[in-house]
Amino acid sequence: MNARDIRGTRRVATVAAVDNSLYAAAPKIYPQSVHGTFRRIKWALLVVTLGIYYFLPFLRFDRGPNEPDQAVLVDLAHRRFYFFFIEIWPQEVYYFTGLLILAALILFLMNAVAGRVWCGYLCPQTVWTDLFRAVERLIEGDRRERIHNDALPLTAERLARKALKHFVWLMIAWWTGGAWVLYFADAPTLVRELATFQAPAIAYISIGILTFTTYALAGHMREQVCIYMCPWPRIQAALTDENALNVTYRYDRGEPRTSLKKAEVLRATGGRAGDCVDCGQCAAVCPMGVDIRRGAGLDCIQCGLCIDACDTVMNKIGRPPRLIAYDTDVNIKRRLAGLGNVYRLLRTRTVLYTVLIAVIGAIMLTSLATRNNLGVAVMHDRNPLYLQLADGSIRNAYMVRILNHTTATSSYVLKVKPFTPANVTAIGTGKSKDGWPKVEIGPDQTYELRVLVTLPASASSVASRDITFQIINKTSSQIATARDHFLTR
Amino acid sequence: MSQDPHSTIDEASGTSTTGHEWDGIKELNTPLPLWWLYTFYACIAFSVLYWIAYPAWPLIGGYTHGLLGWNSRTAVVGDLKNLQTLRGPMNAKIAKASLKTIENTPELLAFARAEGAAAFAQNCAPCHGAGAQGSYGYPNLNANRWIWGGTLDEIHTTIEHGARWTADPDTHMMMMPAFGHDGILKPEQISEVADYVRTLSGNKPSPGADLAKGAKLFADNCSACHGPNGKGNIQIGAPNLTTKVWLYGPTKADIMHRVEVGGGGTMPAWHGRLDEPTIKALTVFVHSLGGGQ
Ligand code: SF4
Ligand code: SF4
């Protein structure tokens, strides 16, 4: 293969078609329907992922009287994120950082093992476009019929079909936007409000925007999103290697291509003929308008549909399947050299990604499992750092933030070690029996306490000493601590 | 876009070139999608509409105001109004409650401290410092020595009417005489009284100081305001001289200078500039810094 062949067909085709312009209209792609293993996998994933997306907000999860009972809820107003039994507070956003890092690493790992499986099977753009295409096929017919009809002048019947198609698309797009906003409020309530026009304006605006973007991206822009807008093809090109399984035309087996008849004659006379009969099915089914036989290109999302198409052909002409297959560059070279296939799953990069994923996952799980539902954070006053009072004693002030993660109002006592209650006061609190500051904090709330610690003038002999704040939940006896310093000069 | 007359076909790739050439390197014509071009046109159209709709062009005597009449100043005014409405219910509660009640109700205290902190940062921090820590001539509001009194009501009065703020008839007016400048005390007398004043707050007397003379001078000239023991008088803003907290510094030179020039700091009256709930919130905030009495 020379460099020119390796570039995708699309580019070559466009250049040839409108060679005199700096700008070119995108060629319309009419992918043909196809049946087979990969198509079935894609349908299954489509049903599962969209099913989760559309119905998850309606799933209930009982968290007790003071908490929302929606299983997955982003409560922006109260700054809480609920995911089943997990409740994330704003100061715990590092869990999201962790999730994002995990997601990136999983994407890397997927890519090292099997190329762009994400793009071909799970990317929302792919999934929704697939759904929109299915609708189009159902209403306007398959590839041949659409090409044929589009070349003819518009009739009333076809206009009606097109209108119906756009209507169904808009309905799907509208439901997509609608499902999105349900993640941000109690779903059944919001549905009722939306229906009676009582919902907040932002809900309607969000639905409007998402309806439009879904309709435009999945209905009209389709493969152009992957080719022109998405950065991932460029990134993944740098992440893949010759051992990754990519959708590949096995040219060692397919070339030289001939027609079926010629191949038979050639084989009968002892000549060499490839398995590819040049039927063009692989290119006809491709949703990206790619001819995979030209080699790997950035515009192939590796959905595997061409594999299904070619397998059907191979089946019909009685040749073994998988002329197009998930294969590696290494194996093609090896077969050409007369060697057997090797699949090296254990490579530095796959091992490294797996280890990193395991480590980060483990850290996140441990931190989630050992999470305290009582929290304390202390901030020393920076201005002034310390203060001399009228009688010469030294005082330090702290902002102590207590977090009550529980669903009940609890009473908390603050102890400051190694000081006595006489040294410690807190603004606007009561006192416990032994004289320490005591506060009540409502369910699922934080409380900010200004704490003043005072030592007599003689304390100035030590510039800085360690100080520990201890918050004790009187009901559960749970304790949270935070350390800081007491400064005297 | 029509083809450039210099366009040629590149031999290696078979693609036409755009006709642009630099140092023998030709640019291949790899067409961009057409919608890209339309997006570009749409951006140009948008920018023109934006010029017309929003303030954009600087002119000699001002600027174009834009058809929408939008400007950032009215936007800020609107935002502030919104903020006021948002805080309205709590501010109404603050306005009704007594200062003591505010301090004893956790909900009101939290709100007052937050609102007070914001008002302090905007209005008071330039003099008293971002942490209310004060500086030379500006009292430290965290400490427990007060010139005009440190109870809730006294702090409220001071914020409302200021100190030595002549525009407000109810302001704190008293001032220390300039003993040196006005020739009431001779330089050596000032030195003697300063020696004595330093010992009031527990400092060791300077070697050779005649404390008896200083005490006599203090009783004759200073005790009328600062009290016979130097404990001060918040009614007339005469500071307590027996504490470790100093407004103008604790050295003998500091004290001598103050006796020489007299006077005292000025604070504006905030009544009329800040509304009552804000002044109350400020009062509670300052009181809860920890030095309040
Ligand atoms: S070439 Fe094959 S795998 Fe690639 S996008 Fe087209 S159909 Fe999918
Ligand atoms: S579908 Fe298979 S046989 Fe037909 S052109 Fe493609 S590779 Fe060749």
Side-chain angles (χ1 to χ4, degrees):
Chain A
M1 274 213 233
N2 63 33
R4 224 186 119 192
D5 285 339
I6 287 171
R7 277 195 282 123
T9 19
R10 148 175 301 273
R11 207 136 131 222
V12 177
T14 349
V15 172
V18 259
D19 209 14
N20 59 350
S21 173
L22 296 177
Y23 297 91
K28 205 164 162 45
I29 295 169
Y30 296 89
Q32 189 177 315
S33 66
V34 60
H35 304 280
T37 319
F38 296 99
R39 182 63 264 183
R40 274 197 295 278
I41 296 175
K42 272 171 74 72
W43 283 134
L45 286 173
L46 182 143
V47 169
V48 171
T49 50
L50 289 187
I52 291 175
Y53 173 74
Y54 286 124
F55 296 107
L56 193 56
F58 294 100
L59 199 62
R60 304 288 98 184
F61 189 87
D62 188 21
R63 293 190 183 83
N66 293 308
E67 307 264 311
D69 60 355
Q70 185 157 321
V72 180
L73 178 67
V74 184
D75 190 348
L76 288 179
H78 301 101
R79 292 177 184 76
R80 299 279 184 275
F81 172 70
Y82 301 94
F83 187 82
F84 293 91
F85 61 94
I86 301 171
E87 179 183 334
I88 305 274
W89 286 35
Q91 67 274 19
E92 297 169 317
V93 280
Y94 49 76
Y95 283 117
F96 288 99
T97 317
L99 274 185
L100 288 178
I101 295 173
L102 271 188
L105 285 173
I106 291 172
L107 215 48
F108 292 176
L109 180 62
M110 279 167 128
N111 196 62
V113 173
R116 292 169 71 180
V117 269
W118 166 262
C119 300
Y121 297 89
L122 288 166
C123 173
Q125 173 64 21
T126 299
V127 173
W128 261 286
T129 303
D130 227 20
L131 178 64
F132 274 50
R133 281 218 177 85
V135 169
E136 184 172 64
R137 196 169 290 136
L138 219 63
I139 296 174
E140 287 193 283
D142 207 353
R143 173 181 164 90
R144 249 175 244 265
E145 195 179 343
R146 291 209 306 279
I147 295 179
H148 176 75
N149 285 341
D150 277 0
L152 299 173
L154 213 57
T155 63
E157 194 252 333
R158 282 193 40 245
L159 193 67
R161 279 186 181 216
K162 274 207 192 297
L164 176 65
K165 174 182 83 176
H166 287 283
F167 175 74
V168 177
W169 279 0
L170 277 168
M171 285 297 102
I172 297 172
W174 168 75
W175 194 14
T176 305
W180 178 261
V181 300
L182 296 183
Y183 284 90
F184 295 85
D186 183 60
T189 318
L190 186 57
V191 168
R192 209 172 314 123
E193 287 175 350
L194 282 169
T196 53
F197 297 101
Q198 307 282 307
I202 184 73
Y204 294 104
I205 295 170
S206 306
I207 295 177
I209 292 174
L210 288 168
T211 304
F212 171 74
T213 48
T214 310
Y215 173 72
L217 295 184
H220 294 277
M221 306 202 51
R222 298 182 173 184
E223 77 286 347
Q224 303 200 47
V225 175
C226 312
I227 298 169
Y228 298 107
M229 293 164 72
C230 180
W232 182 234
R234 281 85 190 156
I235 299 168
Q236 75 92 32
L239 286 171
T240 195
D241 65 7
E242 69 281 4
N243 280 304
L245 283 167
N246 285 318
V247 174
T248 314
Y249 166 66
R250 289 171 160 162
Y251 58 86
D252 58 308
R253 190 185 129 187
E255 303 292 313
R257 1 183 148 141
T258 39
S259 73
L260 189 51
K261 279 216 178 82
K262 274 195 200 138
E264 268 164 16
V265 175
L266 266 174
R267 283 199 194 101
T269 57
R272 176 167 154 63
D275 275 348
C276 175
V277 291
D278 216 359
C279 63
Q281 278 304 298
C282 47
V285 301
C286 177
M288 304 295 291
V290 169
D291 183 346
I292 190 69
R293 293 174 300 165
R294 283 177 179 269
L298 290 187
D299 32 11
C300 167
I301 56 170
Q302 298 189 4
C303 59
L305 292 184
C306 50
I307 304 181
D308 283 344
C310 189
D311 279 357
T312 314
V313 176
M314 290 299 119
N315 199 15
K316 256 187 220 146
I317 63 170
R319 305 292 302 175
R322 298 293 143 88
L323 169 56
I324 304 176
Y326 277 95
D327 202 356
T328 67
D329 291 355
V330 167
N331 280 343
I332 291 187
K333 292 217 184 74
R334 284 178 65 94
R335 286 195 303 269
L336 282 177
L339 300 166
N341 289 339
V342 289
Y343 294 101
R344 284 188 54 218
L345 205 56
L346 289 181
R347 280 171 282 143
T348 320
R349 65 176 77 201
T350 54
V351 172
L352 195 70
Y353 294 149
T354 315
V355 169
L356 281 175
I357 291 170
V359 168
I360 294 170
I363 292 174
M364 280 176 66
L365 280 179
T366 349
S367 97
L368 203 63
T370 56
R371 200 157 70 126
N372 207 337
N373 57 13
L374 166 63
V376 59
V378 173
M379 197 163 81
H380 192 288
D381 259 20
R382 280 161 299 176
N383 200 357
L385 276 171
Y386 66 93
L387 180 79
Q388 190 162 41
L389 295 177
D391 63 356
S393 53
I394 307 288
R395 200 182 74 198
N396 282 210
Y398 304 85
M399 190 60 83
V400 177
R401 188 189 278 270
I402 308 170
L403 298 84
N404 177 9
H405 274 285
T406 67
T407 53
T409 303
S410 302
S411 165
Y412 297 88
V413 170
L414 164 77
K415 292 190 179 175
V416 184
K417 304 274 164 83
F419 300 88
T420 66
N423 298 128
V424 179
T425 50
I427 303 292
T429 60
K431 292 252 180 226
S432 74
K433 259 184 255 121
D434 42 0
W436 293 103
K438 189 179 92 175
V439 282
E440 288 234 316
I441 305 177
D444 213 20
Q445 274 177 9
T446 61
Y447 194 90
E448 240 181 31
L449 207 55
R450 184 170 165 80
V451 177
L452 308 169
V453 180
T454 314
L455 281 187
S458 54
S460 62
S461 55
V462 188
S464 160
R465 64 195 81 202
D466 290 338
I467 172 169
T468 306
F469 292 80
Q470 213 174 52
I471 305 291
I472 304 147
N473 181 335
K474 276 317 222 186
T475 333
S476 68
S477 318
Q478 205 168 29
I479 296 178
T481 55
R483 290 149 153 278
D484 213 300
H485 300 284
F486 182 93
L487 306 174
T488 49
R489 61 187 130 90
Chain B
M1 217 160 281
S2 65
Q3 196 181 9
D4 190 284
H6 302 288
S7 171
T8 52
I9 299 291
D10 172 62
E11 289 206 347
S13 64
T15 309
S16 70
T17 69
T18 59
H20 302 168
E21 185 179 334
W22 294 270
D23 293 342
I25 298 171
K26 291 176 184 164
E27 183 186 28
L28 288 188
N29 180 7
T30 314
L32 274 175
L34 209 53
W35 56 262
W36 197 284
L37 186 67
Y38 293 137
T39 310
F40 177 54
Y41 290 156
C43 288
I44 293 175
F46 176 81
S47 68
V48 172
L49 290 178
Y50 201 91
W51 279 343
I52 301 168
Y54 287 91
W57 291 96
L59 306 172
I60 291 172
Y63 58 93
T64 56
H65 289 270
L67 289 182
L68 295 184
W70 184 94
N71 68 57
S72 49
R73 185 171 284 269
T74 37
V76 169
V77 171
D79 284 351
L80 286 177
K81 268 228 183 68
N82 287 343
L83 193 67
Q84 238 157 24
T85 342
L86 207 70
R87 292 179 178 174
M90 281 306 272
N91 270 332
K93 280 189 200 168
I94 295 270
K96 260 200 260 141
S98 75
L99 292 166
K100 197 91 221 132
T101 317
I102 298 174
E103 270 205 346
N104 290 332
T105 318
E107 186 202 12
L108 293 182
L109 175 66
F111 182 80
R113 275 185 49 77
E115 187 168 47
F120 189 91
Q122 266 173 21
N123 302 290
C124 318
C127 292
H128 290 284
Q133 79 279 23
S135 66
Y136 181 82
Y138 297 98
N140 183 340
L141 305 177
N142 295 281
N144 56 353
R145 188 192 79 155
W146 296 88
I147 298 170
W148 304 101
T151 66
L152 279 167
D153 286 332
E154 285 163 342
I155 294 173
H156 188 264
T157 307
T158 306
I159 297 176
E160 201 166 12
H161 301 296
R164 306 182 185 97
W165 188 254
T166 44
D168 188 318
D170 295 326
T171 196
H172 298 304
M173 271 318 291
M174 296 300 283
M175 212 184 286
M176 173 158 160
F179 288 94
H181 275 181
D182 294 350
I184 307 169
L185 293 179
K186 289 200 261 324
E188 64 270 20
Q189 290 177 311
I190 294 179
S191 166
E192 282 155 8
V193 82
D195 273 330
Y196 173 72
V197 167
R198 254 175 70 72
T199 62
L200 286 177
S201 51
N203 290 299
K204 286 211 182 68
S206 341
D210 189 341
L211 291 181
K213 258 195 199 163
K216 174 87 177 45
L217 282 164
F218 186 86
D220 291 348
N221 297 284
C222 317
S223 61
C225 293
H226 289 285
N229 306 317
K231 296 260 186 224
N233 181 355
I234 56 168
Q235 300 307 321
I236 53 175
N240 185 344
L241 302 176
T242 68
T243 74
K244 304 278 188 196
V245 184
W246 293 87
L247 186 55
Y248 293 105
T251 67
K252 185 178 167 189
D254 291 329
I255 298 168
M256 281 176 67
H257 178 68
R258 197 44 42 192
V259 179
E260 173 89 25
V261 301
T266 307
M267 164 162 161
W270 292 96
H271 177 73
R273 302 192 214 194
L274 299 177
D275 57 11
E276 180 56 15
T278 310
I279 292 182
K280 275 180 147 176
L282 262 177
T283 305
V284 170
F285 170 73
V286 168
H287 191 252
S288 70
L289 284 174
Q293 285 151 356

